[in-house]
Amino acid sequence: MNDDVVVRFARELATDVEEGLSADAPFSANIFTRIVLERLEDAGHLDSVFDLHQEGRLGNAGYRIDGFAFDEERGRLELFTTVYRGELQPSRLTGTEAARALERALRFASACMDGLADRLEPSNTDASDLARRIEAEAATLSTIRIVLLTDSVLGGTLPPSGEWKGRTVEYDAYDVVRLQRVLGEGETRADISVDLVALTGEAVPCLHVPSDHGGYEAYLAVLPGRALSQIYERYGVRLLELNVRAFLGLRGRKSVNSELRRTIMEQPSMFLAFNNGIVATADGIELDEANGRPAIRSLQGLQIVNGGQTTASLHRARRKESITLDHVAVPVKIIKVGGADLSEMVASISRAANRQNTVQLADFSANDPFHQQLETLANNTWLDDGKGRWFYERTRGSYLAAEQKASYRKTEHRSFRLQTPKQRRINKLDVARYLSAWSGLPHRVCLGGQKNFQHFMQRLKDEPPPPSDTTWFKRIIAIAILYRAVERTVRAMKFPAYGAQIIAYLVAAISHRTGGRVDFDRIWAHQVITPELENLVKSWAPAIDAALRESAGQRNPSEWFKKEECWTLLRERLPALSDPLPAELSYVAENGNRSETAPAVSVEDYDRIARCMEINGATWLEIAELGQRAGIIHWKVAGICRTLASYAAGGWERKPSAKQAKPALDAYRNVERAGIISGSQASSENVEQ
């Protein structure tokens, strides 16, 4: 351990925590938890994590958690507990202190299973929701993982994993040394170590294929399906490192995963023959010899670069559907990279392997052109005063690395801090969250950082490439500023539960009500939103909260908010705009950028946009075809109606402009009055001006 590096990292972390303190977030431990969980999720170590502080007592014993993650696919609950001291020189946390903190978190799980939700007051908080969920899912939970987060140096050992109430309980810890290694140096594979002897009872026979030109070695083997499932259960998405697609699900007869499931259930012994297997890389391979042939004892730094679908499907079959994998065998090709650059080799293997599959895959690598373009634009786009810019953290730890590089000279370090302060740092998960909410996908945001990011990257693959110019970059940053302002405002209002969900849906609501067209240039120029827009957020937040709760009904709220049906229902219950409008909503050009000469956009204009989106795509096509044929509407207006039909077909991800809405509604009214329209799903009451 390099003590100086760890101390420097600890001080940077403590500074970040202090900078995050505010009236609505006054506790350092909570800020520390939020920062660490967000960065560990960005690093791929965690998935769909949420910070949540809850503590109390049951009898003479206390319980406490500071965050959680619930993985239904793997039947896995993760609870996080924090020990934060805020020391500039990290002190030692004894094994006894660590065990005590872990025990308190496990006690929370036990209390939930014993009906803690009924005893929590108030009964409509994030904690009570989690308690009810744990109680309801207790029968399907196979593993509980308790994770300690601390800015101290862990001394001693953690309690061993074991059985607890018929479940596996695992203990883990991220102390300041490990956090520095993972977040500071960006190592994400270092502690993925797979002992195949422990999993299968013996070393796995393999065929060693050395490369003619060096640089790598290949090993061909066959892994038991159960062993592969257990590896995924232990490490989850960290095995995939953002280089492999999301799990596509099992719905639909043509789904690749439904075919996998059918083979697992009906012909498990044929899995080896029917399945292409997986391609993986490893930092290290420990070999043995079995019956005169090489055999693999263990793998270090394992990464599955092709075959994530196979792996996740096997695990789902075993854990979610209780299907035995005893007769399932999976072909495996393992590449041990030697002199070649590992990250580049992994990306190349992933691209080549996935190109052979007819399913469109998302490449979640930081080397994706989208992220490279965004980084280039961030480096070259200065604020209007010419003195500052935003920093896009394309790769983990790049901001810290840039800051450390600048620190070698005092003047450069001062300039770096002035030009790119931490509040103007933005990463891949941030961009995916902000743009998904603004695009009318708040339910995706509620899935959590990693899953939303996977969906976001898949959308990039399926849609035309963005313009990738300065105007586009400024628009992204303006949306980021708006989203973060909504975050601050909603958190300050101290809703008892679902704050993150309220934020995502509120941002989506503003986008929907305005047709996604606000004064992005103004937000970019001022780098803040106006007090008037902030007041609008304050007035809308309680309405969004009430609408979300009402829409959930008897459903589990946390799960309901992740469904598209929730957003579809909520769109019908959004708050209305009222005069006077905030400056950001008053003057917009047709391309969404600021224009002093464009006509003022009024509440009436926004109402017309909303009414346009109440009419389905088939009706807009009818208006265009029948109205133009009858000579009632001009061919240009018919073109606008056809455009709105395409917007409707896309789920209104693109929205009408004020300039489109008025003639389109006029056309609708004229065609309906002529009595030549049929099958309308909107009445004339909806289009009266």
Side-chain angles (χ1 to χ4, degrees):
M1 178 184 77
N2 188 326
D3 291 340
D4 291 339
V5 172
V6 172
V7 169
R8 185 163 62 245
F9 175 81
R11 290 176 178 174
E12 288 285 341
L13 195 55
T15 300
D16 290 345
V17 170
E18 291 303 310
E19 290 177 352
L21 292 174
S22 63
D24 61 295
F27 300 109
S28 299
N30 295 354
I31 302 299
F32 172 81
T33 303
R34 182 185 303 168
I35 290 174
V36 169
L37 289 181
E38 287 178 351
R39 295 181 185 178
L40 286 175
E41 183 168 23
D42 183 36
H45 275 230
L46 304 174
D47 186 28
S48 300
V49 291
F50 299 92
D51 57 293
L52 169 62
H53 176 78
Q54 178 66 26
E55 61 180 311
R57 299 192 67 82
L58 286 176
N60 296 324
Y63 61 80
R64 169 177 168 166
I65 62 164
D66 293 275
F68 74 95
F70 213 116
D71 189 336
E72 292 183 350
E73 292 293 338
R74 295 193 289 162
R76 187 180 182 89
L77 170 68
E78 293 181 302
L79 296 175
F80 301 90
T81 183
T82 295
V83 175
Y84 179 71
R85 292 171 172 170
E87 300 169 334
L88 298 182
Q89 183 74 31
S91 59
R92 185 173 180 272
L93 183 72
T94 67
T96 302
E97 291 172 316
R100 192 179 301 128
L102 294 168
E103 184 181 352
R104 285 197 299 266
L106 183 59
R107 205 174 288 137
F108 173 81
S110 179
C112 291
M113 294 177 186
D114 293 336
L116 176 64
D118 296 331
R119 299 189 291 274
L120 288 176
E121 292 293 341
S123 61
N124 60 343
T125 64
D126 285 326
S128 59
D129 181 42
L130 175 61
R132 281 189 291 270
R133 190 175 177 191
I134 292 174
E135 184 178 6
E137 300 288 339
T140 61
L141 279 179
S142 62
T143 305
I144 297 178
R145 181 171 177 244
I146 312 294
V147 184
L148 172 66
L149 308 174
T150 181
D151 64 333
S152 299
V153 178
L154 182 61
T157 58
L158 297 177
S161 299
E163 291 292 320
W164 178 79
K165 295 188 176 182
R167 302 167 184 83
T168 300
V169 174
E170 301 172 352
Y171 297 101
D172 202 354
Y174 286 88
D175 69 346
V176 69
V177 177
R178 188 179 179 190
L179 287 173
Q180 187 278 326
R181 190 175 73 241
V182 172
L183 303 178
E185 298 175 358
E187 295 180 4
T188 61
R189 300 182 306 272
D191 56 350
I192 296 182
S193 180
V194 179
D195 187 340
L196 292 177
V197 175
L199 284 175
T200 67
E202 59 183 357
V204 175
C206 67
L207 174 64
H208 178 210
V209 186
S211 169
D212 292 339
H213 305 289
Y216 75 91
E217 296 181 41
Y219 298 84
L220 306 179
V222 176
L223 272 180
R226 175 178 288 274
L228 187 58
S229 170
Q230 290 173 321
I231 293 170
Y232 181 74
E233 181 166 323
R234 173 64 180 87
Y235 295 106
V237 294
R238 288 180 54 205
L239 288 170
L240 310 180
E241 273 280 292
L242 303 184
N243 285 315
V244 185
R245 60 195 145 170
F247 183 57
L248 299 178
L250 292 164
R251 296 178 182 176
R253 290 177 297 175
K254 295 183 180 180
S255 166
V256 60
N257 297 315
S258 64
E259 292 299 324
L260 286 172
R261 180 177 179 273
R262 185 176 296 110
T263 303
I264 294 168
M265 291 187 66
E266 299 174 5
Q267 297 175 286
S269 61
M270 297 301 293
F271 195 89
L272 181 66
F274 292 169
N275 189 264
N276 290 332
I278 68 173
V279 181
T281 62
D283 295 341
I285 298 179
E286 182 184 358
L287 294 175
D288 205 342
E289 192 171 290
N291 300 321
R293 295 186 300 167
I296 303 174
R297 290 188 58 86
S298 65
L299 299 163
Q300 290 77 45
L302 180 67
Q303 287 291 286
I304 297 174
V305 295
N306 184 249
Q309 300 299 296
T310 297
T311 306
S313 294
L314 287 170
H315 184 269
R316 179 189 177 97
R318 185 171 72 93
R319 277 302 184 193
K320 193 75 173 177
E321 303 179 67
S322 301
I323 299 174
T324 177
L325 303 179
D326 292 343
H327 301 292
V328 173
V330 185
V332 182
K333 177 170 68 176
I334 303 171
I335 306 297
K336 180 180 181 296
V337 180
D341 180 77
L342 180 59
S343 60
E344 182 59 35
M345 176 70 84
V346 169
S348 298
I349 293 171
S350 180
R351 283 193 295 267
N354 288 330
R355 195 176 292 124
Q356 298 165 12
N357 196 319
T358 57
V359 179
Q360 291 296 312
L361 310 180
D363 175 14
F364 301 128
S365 163
N367 293 322
D368 187 277
F370 174 87
H371 301 294
Q372 291 179 330
Q373 291 163 0
L374 209 52
E375 182 182 49
T376 300
L377 286 167
N379 291 337
N380 296 310
T381 305
W382 293 81
L383 302 184
D384 291 353
D385 61 9
K387 298 179 181 179
R389 55 194 170 97
W390 282 70
F391 189 99
Y392 183 58
E393 199 166 32
R394 179 174 64 87
T395 56
R396 291 188 301 276
S398 59
Y399 182 89
L400 182 61
E403 186 180 37
Q404 289 178 348
K405 182 179 179 181
S407 67
Y408 296 139
R409 292 186 179 180
K410 192 172 183 179
T411 55
E412 288 185 9
H413 189 230
R414 188 182 302 113
S415 296
F416 181 86
R417 279 299 187 96
L418 288 173
Q419 292 174 3
T420 53
K422 289 179 180 177
Q423 62 267 29
R424 287 205 294 264
R425 175 178 59 184
I426 188 171
N427 62 34
K428 297 190 296 295
L429 296 189
D430 292 334
V431 169
R433 181 166 61 252
Y434 304 155
L435 294 188
S436 294
W438 191 255
S439 297
L441 301 168
H443 51 288
R444 293 272 178 83
V445 177
C446 294
L447 291 172
Q450 287 289 352
K451 290 182 180 178
N452 176 60
F453 180 71
Q454 291 168 352
H455 284 292
F456 175 77
M457 291 302 296
Q458 186 65 58
R459 285 175 56 223
L460 288 181
K461 298 292 182 182
D462 295 338
E463 296 175 354
S468 303
D469 55 19
T470 301
T471 300
W472 171 74
F473 176 75
K474 289 180 178 179
R475 180 179 184 272
I476 290 176
I477 296 303
I479 293 171
I481 293 169
L482 173 58
Y483 195 104
R484 290 180 174 183
V486 173
E487 274 186 321
R488 289 192 300 271
T489 303
V490 171
R491 284 176 178 166
M493 296 175 75
K494 298 185 183 301
F495 287 93
Y498 316 125
Q501 292 90 334
I502 293 170
I503 292 164
Y505 276 90
L506 205 161
V507 171
I510 294 174
S511 175
H512 189 77
R513 276 287 188 235
T514 62
R517 292 172 170 84
V518 301
D519 195 341
F520 296 119
D521 283 352
R522 181 188 180 92
I523 297 176
W524 166 265
H526 293 83
Q527 292 291 297
V528 293
I529 65 172
T530 60
E532 291 77 15
L533 183 53
E534 188 173 324
N535 288 335
L536 182 146
V537 170
K538 289 179 181 177
S539 66
W540 278 23
I544 295 294
D545 177 41
L548 282 171
R549 291 178 182 276
E550 183 182 352
S551 71
Q554 299 302 312
R555 306 176 186 92
N556 180 290
S558 296
E559 292 306 302
W560 169 244
F561 300 153
K562 299 175 183 177
K563 298 185 181 299
E564 186 175 0
E565 294 90 334
C566 176
W567 172 234
T568 301
L569 191 60
L570 198 76
R571 282 203 304 260
E572 301 173 359
R573 309 178 183 183
L574 296 181
L577 291 166
S578 59
D579 288 318
L581 287 171
E584 293 91 339
L585 312 186
S586 299
Y587 290 89
V588 292
E590 289 308 300
N591 62 359
N593 295 320
R594 189 166 183 245
S595 173
E596 298 294 348
T597 60
V601 178
S602 65
V603 171
E604 187 178 14
D605 289 319
Y606 287 125
D607 287 342
R608 290 194 190 104
I609 291 171
R611 288 198 293 272
C612 280
M613 292 189 290
E614 293 171 0
I615 302 170
N616 64 26
T619 301
W620 281 121
L621 283 178
E622 271 196 302
I623 295 167
E625 298 298 330
L626 299 178
Q628 188 176 358
R629 189 184 308 160
I632 297 175
I633 63 175
H634 192 272
W635 64 270
K636 288 185 179 180
V637 177
I640 292 175
C641 294
R642 292 188 183 95
T643 298
L644 297 193
S646 70
Y647 291 174
W652 295 110
E653 189 169 330
R654 294 189 64 183
K655 317 222 174 21
S657 66
K659 190 175 180 180
Q660 291 171 319
K662 189 177 188 307
L665 289 175
D666 286 343
Y668 180 92
R669 187 181 65 252
N670 292 338
V671 170
E672 188 182 47
R673 285 175 179 172
I676 60 173
I677 190 170
S678 62
S680 169
Q681 291 195 10
S683 68
S684 57
E685 293 177 359
N686 289 331
V687 296
E688 286 299 326
Q689 297 186 48

